[in-house]
Amino acid sequence: QVQLAESGGGSVQAGGSLRLSCAASRVGYGSACMGWFRQAPGKEREGVAGIDGTGSTTYIDSVKGRFTISKDNTKSVLHLQMNSLKLEDTGMYYCAAGYCIDTIATLVYRRDFPYWGQGTQVTVSS
């Protein structure tokens, strides 16, 4: 059974940084497509970033240049480095994994992943 466990969330002031991690097990890690998503209160879950089995990445426009997604294949851990955090980055962050049945950009846009973690809260304050 695939298991995903996020960590690294917390409270930070605007302009600060956080690094999220997602430990993955039984996911065919090296070839899997994986992504980070977030959901703010009262809003739909949105894709933030994704990475495919070749290392190609995708980001939503609002985080480009500030967030970096990466995979540590030796440890089966997915990371999201978040810099220059803004108030609007607040939300519950989830990692997801699945098969690369389409481009990573399409998978992230459609939230088309069968496996999800429980989430880690990120709160950015002024």
Side-chain angles (χ1 to χ4, degrees):
Q1 183 175 353
V2 172
Q3 292 183 328
L4 302 171
E6 303 93 336
S7 62
S11 297
V12 63
Q13 288 191 321
S17 298
L18 283 173
R19 188 187 195 210
L20 305 184
S21 297
C22 173
S25 62
R26 302 176 184 172
V27 76
Y29 189 79
S31 59
C33 277
M34 301 188 73
W36 284 100
F37 297 78
R38 67 187 179 191
Q39 188 166 18
K43 295 188 177 181
E44 287 190 359
R45 189 174 299 187
E46 66 172 350
V48 174
I51 186 167
D52 69 13
T54 71
S56 294
T57 58
T58 188
Y59 299 91
I60 55 171
D61 287 345
S62 62
V63 307
K64 285 181 180 178
R66 301 189 297 122
F67 289 12
T68 302
I69 188 171
S70 62
K71 288 168 59 176
D72 182 340
N73 288 329
T74 61
K75 298 180 180 178
S76 298
V77 179
L78 180 73
H79 297 291
L80 184 68
Q81 178 67 43
M82 305 187 296
N83 299 327
S84 302
L85 282 161
K86 302 178 179 180
L87 298 179
E88 53 264 40
D89 294 320
T90 293
M92 185 69 77
Y93 281 69
Y94 301 89
C95 76
Y99 309 102
C100 297
I101 57 175
D102 209 320
T103 66
I104 186 63
T106 299
L107 294 174
V108 169
Y109 177 76
R110 294 178 178 172
R111 293 169 284 179
D112 192 1
F113 291 84
Y115 307 111
W116 293 82
Q118 294 300 307
T120 185
Q121 178 67 35
V122 172
T123 302
V124 184
S125 60
S126 58

